[in-house]
């Protein structure tokens, strides 16, 4: 039985739900994020607020929440031209991938998470990747995760488990999962403190949280929220 976990925690809705899930299961949970010179630093700021609020509002989770790690990955901006790291408009490319795609980003994240987990003695690596809500990122696929689990376990000679609690959930189900883990308080925390908007908008507050309301990330979050709320009313 696994007891310790490292959660890839960006400060968005998905990774916050994954963190809550890990905190409800494992005795010791640490968090990791990557600063790859995102166009907007609001997500990196948001994650610190989320951690503070989780500790303040959920004391039984606070006892389990260990160190937070933020690794500098500026090099990622040097090797990729995407709308997440450069000032350019979001669009679909000819290969069917959105230009927010950073090639190999999750592979790099998981490899570094594996290195850190090894050093910190953490057994499970938790990531909020998901195949259900289409984003077209090949490094979010279930097969990719299974391959990474094997590669890390062989390459570091330690049995790692890569856990993906959101892999087959849509965004409405992700809201439901948050509610089942931490009730209305966790749903409110996610609305108020997590950040998803690609444009880094923290000016406009909607029922589902802050954001521009029209970028692909906001649209996905809005749609999931509407489905979640409608299902609750029925
Ligand atoms: Zn947005």
């Amino acid at each position: 039985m696994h007891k310790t976990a490292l959660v890839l925690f960006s400060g968005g809705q998905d990774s916050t739900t994954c963190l809550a899930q890990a905190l409800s299961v494992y005795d010791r949970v640490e968090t990791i994020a990557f600063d790859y010179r995102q166009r907007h630093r609001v997500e990196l700021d948001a994650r610190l607020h989320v951690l503070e609020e989780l500790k303040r509002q959920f004391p039984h989770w606070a006892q389990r929440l260990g160190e937070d790690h933020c690794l500098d990955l500026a090099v990622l901006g040097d090797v990729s031209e995407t709308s997440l790291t450069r000032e350019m408009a979001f669009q679909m490319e000819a290969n069917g991938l959105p230009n927010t795609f950073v090639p190999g980003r999750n592979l790099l994240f998981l490899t570094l998470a594996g290195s850190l987990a090894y050093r910190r003695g953490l057994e499970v690596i938790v990531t909020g990747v998901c195949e259900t809500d289409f984003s077209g990122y090949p490094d979010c696929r279930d097969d990719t995760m299974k391959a990474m689990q094997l590669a890390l376990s062989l390459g570091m000679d330690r049995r790692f488990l890569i856990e993906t609690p959101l892999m087959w959930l849509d965004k409405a189900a992700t809201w439901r999962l948050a509610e089942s883990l931490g009730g209305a308080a966790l749903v409110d925390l996610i609305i108020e403190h997590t950040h998803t908007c690609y444009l880094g908008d923290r000016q406009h507050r909607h029922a589902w949280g802050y954001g521009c309301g029209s970028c692909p990330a906001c649209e996905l979050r809005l749609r999931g929220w509407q489905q979640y709320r409608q299902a609750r009313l029925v």
Side-chain angles (χ1 to χ4, degrees):
M1 187 63 187
H2 301 292
K3 288 191 161 57
T4 57
L6 178 64
V7 179
L8 278 79
F9 176 62
S10 69
Q13 176 189 353
D14 290 348
S15 67
T16 300
T17 307
C18 287
L19 177 55
Q21 155 96 5
L23 287 168
S24 62
V25 174
Y26 300 113
D27 294 342
R28 182 163 62 97
V29 177
E30 299 191 9
T31 44
I32 183 172
F34 304 95
D35 180 352
Y36 55 96
R37 304 300 184 268
Q38 293 89 324
R39 255 165 75 176
H40 308 286
R41 295 191 52 85
V42 287
E43 214 182 45
L44 291 174
D45 295 337
R47 62 189 297 284
L48 299 178
H49 293 301
V50 172
L51 286 175
E52 272 172 32
E53 288 298 316
L54 279 174
K55 284 187 206 162
R56 191 175 68 77
Q57 296 188 42
F58 300 90
H60 57 295
W61 286 348
Q63 297 167 356
R64 298 172 161 203
L65 194 53
E67 241 178 87
D68 176 48
H69 312 267
C70 187
L71 301 190
D72 188 332
L73 261 189
V75 66
L76 202 52
D78 295 339
V79 296
S80 71
E81 285 227 356
T82 88
S83 61
L84 286 185
T85 50
R86 305 278 167 89
E87 291 292 334
M88 55 169 89
F90 299 99
Q91 61 184 45
M92 295 300 284
E93 303 285 0
N95 59 6
L97 287 170
N99 69 345
T100 48
F101 176 59
V102 182
R105 180 176 57 169
N106 275 327
L107 307 183
L108 202 52
F109 286 0
L110 285 164
T111 304
L112 289 167
S115 298
L116 189 76
Y118 186 100
R119 184 165 64 78
R120 305 285 302 167
L122 303 165
E123 306 159 279
V124 181
I125 298 167
V126 184
T127 168
V129 293
C130 165
E131 274 200 30
T132 312
D133 282 317
F134 176 74
S135 55
Y137 297 164
D139 56 350
C140 291
R141 287 189 292 215
D142 193 44
D143 283 352
T144 308
M145 294 302 116
K146 290 191 166 84
M148 279 308 286
Q149 177 173 292
L150 186 61
L152 293 179
S153 297
L154 288 174
M156 298 189 195
D157 197 20
R158 183 167 299 181
R159 187 80 176 94
F160 286 115
L161 181 69
I162 295 184
E163 204 169 72
T164 56
L166 310 185
M167 182 58 78
W168 310 112
L169 302 185
D170 62 17
K171 278 279 183 291
T174 302
W175 285 110
R176 277 198 297 279
L177 175 59
E179 186 184 334
S180 73
L181 291 166
L186 184 60
V187 172
D188 289 345
L189 188 160
I190 288 171
I191 291 170
E192 200 58 39
H193 296 288
T194 68
H195 186 82
T196 306
C197 176
Y198 282 153
L199 299 182
D201 186 327
R202 296 294 293 175
Q203 303 297 319
H204 300 94
R205 169 68 153 81
H206 315 267
W208 44 268
Y210 291 91
C212 71
S214 53
C215 76
C218 281
E219 281 180 0
L220 197 61
R221 182 158 161 160
L222 163 66
R223 220 168 30 243
W225 172 258
Q226 285 172 336
Q227 287 165 2
Y228 161 68
R229 294 300 293 176
Q230 275 162 10
R232 283 181 103 255
L233 294 173
V234 178

